[in-house]
Amino acid sequence: INGDPKCTQFHDPDQGKALYRLSGMPALKTVVLLSIGPILNQFFSAIEGIVQTIWVNKAMGKKGIASISSYMPFENICRAFGLTAACSGSNAVGGFIATNKYNKEEGSQVICDLLRVCIIIGIVTPAVLCPTVKMAVKWFGASEEIVNLGYKYIFPILICTFVTCIYLAYTGFLIGEGRTMLYACITIVTSIMNIAFFCPLFILGFKIGIVGAGISTVLSQGIA
């Protein structure tokens, strides 16, 4: 790669390897290799959701499952903002590489700006949702018991929206550089930490109830 003319305008320390990962191979091979990481991520994310539900069911039964399900749309709202930052970062970093404008200063500035956005989202989202989600879920038709139980689950997730956004944004930066296998490793380790260690530890070990499922989700993302 070091002698490739396409890489002579680059100032990045990997000497054009990012460009090679994204466009240096035949199109079909590039698509196949870059899709392995996201496919593994989706597979383990599905397993994570199933196993987490099993832990909650063991501790609290059907009421616990109903509580998590009732608040799932609001958890997805938090993730949606993070995925927006991830998509923006991936497109920006990939664009720098594709146009031969990739350098440490511009890339760092993009990351810095997106982190600022994550901070704003991390403040605004819980400020809006924490006082309103219980009313929304009650309006959906959930019983008072389910509303109060599910709020214990969603509260730490809402408060730590910033952590979720940062976690997802950084995975987007990795995808933009074509580092999809590293992206897969990070997300898989996050899922394993959640369902194999933190979730059973908080729910069954410390016996703190459904709030443990929310804390374990945020904690595993924060560590990653």
Side-chain angles (χ1 to χ4, degrees):
I1 296 174
N2 292 337
D4 192 332
K6 293 186 294 184
C7 303
T8 56
Q9 301 179 45
F10 277 68
H11 306 287
D12 60 320
D14 72 356
Q15 297 298 313
K17 293 179 181 177
L19 178 63
Y20 179 75
R21 285 192 297 267
L22 292 170
S23 62
M25 297 175 286
L28 180 59
K29 184 177 181 181
T30 301
V31 170
V32 171
L33 290 177
L34 293 181
S35 65
I36 294 175
I39 289 173
L40 290 174
N41 169 56
Q42 292 300 314
F43 177 75
F44 277 90
S45 294
I47 294 177
E48 179 182 10
I50 294 171
V51 176
Q52 187 178 49
T53 302
I54 292 173
W55 289 124
V56 172
N57 184 50
K58 281 182 175 292
M60 284 152 285
K62 294 181 179 179
K63 290 182 180 179
I65 298 175
S67 300
I68 291 179
S69 300
S70 299
Y71 283 88
M72 191 59 65
F74 303 100
E75 182 178 354
N76 290 335
I77 289 174
C78 299
R79 291 184 59 83
F81 285 117
L83 290 171
T84 300
C87 183
S88 301
S90 176
N91 290 337
V93 172
F96 283 139
I97 296 172
T99 56
N100 288 348
K101 294 181 179 179
Y102 185 64
N103 61 63
K104 293 174 71 175
E105 289 185 3
E106 289 187 69
S108 298
Q109 187 60 52
V110 168
I111 293 175
C112 182
D113 291 340
L114 284 172
L115 293 182
R116 290 191 183 113
V117 172
C118 289
I119 292 174
I120 295 172
I121 293 171
I123 295 172
V124 173
T125 300
V128 172
L129 291 183
C130 283
T132 58
V133 288
K134 292 179 75 173
M135 293 184 292
V137 173
K138 186 180 294 185
W139 181 72
F140 292 158
S143 65
E144 190 72 26
E145 183 181 10
I146 296 298
V147 169
N148 293 328
L149 186 61
Y151 188 74
K152 295 178 182 179
Y153 165 75
I154 199 66
F155 184 74
I157 294 176
L158 293 178
I159 291 296
C160 298
T161 298
F162 172 69
V163 175
T164 301
C165 288
I166 292 292
Y167 167 73
L168 293 172
Y170 274 119
T171 60
F173 303 151
L174 293 175
I175 293 175
E177 293 184 352
R179 302 176 185 270
T180 55
M181 292 308 298
L182 178 58
Y183 156 79
C185 289
I186 291 173
T187 54
I188 289 171
V189 168
T190 302
S191 297
I192 292 175
M193 282 195 298
N194 182 17
I195 61 178
F197 181 68
F198 289 123
C199 201
L201 176 66
F202 287 119
I203 293 178
L204 301 179
F206 295 155
K207 298 184 183 303
I208 61 175
I210 199 170
V211 66
I215 294 174
S216 67
T217 298
V218 173
L219 190 58
S220 59
Q221 292 176 349
I223 292 175

